Amino acid sequence: MEKCRLCLNNVANETGSHTVPAFILKTLFPRDKEMVFTIKPRNITANVGRAVLPEDVKEFVGKELTDEEIAANKIPFIEDYIFCKSCEKRLGHLESRYADVIQKQLNKQANTGKSEILKMKEKSFLVSLFWYSVIWRCSVSSNYLFNLQNGDEEILRAYLNENLFDSSQNLLSHIDSKPNECLFPLAVFFYLNSENDSSNVLEPNSEYFNPYILHINEYILILYVGDAKTEEPLNDYIGLEKDFMITELINSKDPQEFLIGIVSIEIWQEIKINIYKDRAETQIRHYGTVYKNVADYYRLPCDDEDIRKFVKSITDGDMNYAEKYSEKRRNELLKVSLKELIIRNSGM
């Protein structure tokens, strides 16, 4: 077995570790009843939790799963054998403290639908340590399409390993000893998903590196690590700037109050639309690039209209998303399109 990714000493013998804590996800879907679309560079996949009923699986995935597909089915934010049991407990103590102190307060105060800034007095160390742990776990997970760069992953690992403890009491005493520490600049934005809207997302924005930006259900996180220059302002980001001066909510050094931006309902809906638009445009560009590269490889002349026709053949059709955007269907349609291109060019 591999060594634990956190302590680097013990055997990684824990199963069912959450990349993102379950309480952060509970407004997105019930535990073990997850129904998740994962947008990957090559395709879109569908994954379901172990307690989802067979008829719901068929409706969501678009077909009944074979025994092999059931065995291979994995929820992308749950992973086995990356931590030892001791480090899993250490992370759990931090999760429990954040859930009891911060999440409960956010749930109480962020229910107006209006934008505001919450000031969490002497909570900077607790908030920042928790989110460092989540972001770092997203990076070390093999299931999550996100990686910290240039040694930043190791910087966070060492910091977490030094500041997590085997008992909740020891962790609490440690947090109380330096309540205002926020070593790596961090901004946290929150929108209360009171209606359990399943259209929220869990994903990094791969266009940003230090600052790293992640969307995690009700949260948007902006993190600087190591030698990143926070004086280079991030003035706008997918609509957040309509509610806040983003740079004013980047907590750093030893803030007496940790500032959390509560996003208004109108801007949160706009942000989600912008995220989906961006992902759709990225996926369409990818399909066009695949078509052009294959056509060029076989020296088949093609134009923009050929590319648009191929992309449209993928996006058209009334079917399940995972089936529509699967790599298998894309390749089948690519073969059809290339055959038409060969026939057309042979007649020239």
Side-chain angles (χ1 to χ4, degrees), residues 119-124 179-181 251-259:
K119 299 177 179 180
M120 317 291 280
K121 188 175 182 180
E122 296 191 337
K123 297 293 186 295
S124 297
N180 299 321
E181 181 170 294
N251 301 271
S252 61
K253 297 182 179 178
D254 298 306
Q256 298 294 312
E257 298 174 318
F258 193 97
L259 306 181

Side-chain angles (χ1 to χ4, degrees), residues 23 29 53 57 70 116 127 193 229 253 278 288 303 312:
F23 74 87
F29 32 60
L53 297 174
V57 171
I70 292 173
E116 60 179 307
V127 176
N193 187 11
K229 296 180 180 180
K253 297 182 179 178
D278 180 68
D303 55 27
K312 190 173 186 299

Side-chain angles (χ1 to χ4, degrees), residues 239-254:
L240 270 178
E241 68 280 358
K242 295 182 179 180
D243 268 350
F244 307 101
M245 287 285 292
I246 296 175
T247 52
E248 293 182 357
L249 272 77
I250 296 176
N251 301 271
S252 61
K253 297 182 179 178
D254 298 306

Side-chain angles (χ1 to χ4, degrees), residues 23-76:
F23 74 87
I24 296 292
L25 303 176
K26 71 178 184 179
T27 61
L28 198 56
F29 32 60
R31 189 167 186 170
D32 293 331
K33 292 185 178 181
E34 303 92 342
M35 294 194 290
V36 182
F37 283 121
T38 303
I39 302 174
K40 300 179 180 179
R42 295 172 66 92
N43 60 357
I44 295 177
T45 61
N47 304 93
V48 296
R50 58 190 177 185
V52 178
L53 297 174
E55 55 267 30
D56 293 331
V57 171
K58 184 175 181 180
E59 180 179 356
F60 180 69
V61 179
K63 63 176 183 177
E64 293 181 355
L65 297 181
T66 65
D67 291 341
E68 292 77 12
E69 288 171 328
I70 292 173
N73 175 66
K74 293 181 179 179
I75 298 300

Side-chain angles (χ1 to χ4, degrees), residues 132 182-187 222-226 228 230 250-253:
Y132 298 160
C182 181
L183 191 61
F184 309 110
L186 175 68
I222 301 173
L223 171 69
Y224 294 82
V225 182
T230 55
I250 296 176
N251 301 271
S252 61
K253 297 182 179 178

